[in-house]
Amino acid sequence: MKLYQYKWRPAYFTNPAEILDENSNCIGTIKKHYSNVFIRLLDVILEGKYFVQYQIHQQNDLIFETKAILNPFKKRQYKINYYGNDKHIEFLLIDKKMFDIVEVTSFDFDGETFHLKKAPFEWGQLTVNDELIAEWHIPLKPPFTCKFKLYNSSYENMVLFLIGIFHTYLTFK
């Protein structure tokens, strides 16, 4: 198992947070992104819940980008762009739960189906073929240090992608 962590900042802060491995080496940064000042101001007024747009960089390269798709008549949806491993993959991450307090979704990526689930007060879990590959947690009170555990080393080249999925889906509801 490998452990990664980063500080979660309030929803409308745009300063990047370093993603650190278990040896405190920075493997990337995560930050909130706004397309313009007007959207940022509006998001501050609305408490940072509607204009969800995050970017994860590895050194100076954009690796992961997510943007909420706002539609009052549909469930929560996020457009994900992944630019890692010499490829660009785009897909939607859609809320799949029906009147339940447990967060549940699944998505297809690179030929595999990933299942994400998080019950209240528990770590979020990501599985592939019923095998737990990663867990993610954010505490309920400050300091808000997000922790990510990777159990399957064959997904090590996708750590920033997996952190981005957890962060996108579980920090904003």
Side-chain angles (χ1 to χ4, degrees), residues 2-136:
K2 290 198 173 191
L3 178 67
Y4 301 86
Q5 62 185 8
Y6 61 97
K7 299 281 186 204
W8 180 80
R9 297 199 174 22
Y12 39 85
F13 280 42
T14 59
N15 295 343
E18 290 186 335
I19 300 170
L20 305 174
D21 67 9
E22 51 200 7
N23 298 320
S24 297
N25 297 319
C26 178
I27 63 162
T29 59
I30 185 169
K31 71 174 193 155
K32 180 99 182 223
H33 176 74
Y34 292 102
S35 54
N36 60 53
V37 175
F38 174 73
I39 296 294
R40 184 175 183 184
L41 180 61
L42 189 58
D43 202 37
V44 169
I45 293 167
L46 298 172
E47 298 178 352
K49 296 181 181 180
Y50 296 100
F51 297 98
V52 177
Q53 190 168 352
Y54 275 93
Q55 294 180 338
I56 296 179
H57 290 84
Q58 187 176 36
Q59 294 157 349
N60 292 327
D61 298 329
L62 179 63
I63 297 293
F64 181 92
E65 186 173 39
T66 185
K67 183 177 182 178
I69 298 173
L70 300 175
N71 187 333
F73 304 109
K74 290 186 177 181
K75 293 182 177 185
R76 257 184 325 153
Q77 294 185 36
Y78 304 97
K79 179 181 171 187
I80 307 289
N81 283 293
Y82 177 65
Y83 304 98
N85 302 326
D86 298 323
K87 56 181 134 185
H88 172 222
I89 299 174
E90 181 177 297
F91 65 95
L92 291 178
L93 187 60
I94 302 170
D95 186 1
K96 303 236 171 137
K97 70 180 182 306
M98 296 295 282
F99 308 111
D100 194 1
I101 60 172
V102 176
E103 296 292 332
V104 177
T105 192
S106 60
F107 60 95
D108 293 323
F109 178 80
D110 209 19
E112 295 182 301
T113 301
F114 292 78
H115 301 280
L116 188 147
K117 181 178 181 181
K118 183 185 181 308
F121 309 111
E122 294 182 9
W123 285 61
Q125 298 183 331
L126 191 64
T127 59
V128 175
N129 298 326
D130 294 325
E131 176 193 351
L132 179 65
I133 62 165
E135 289 185 307
W136 182 90

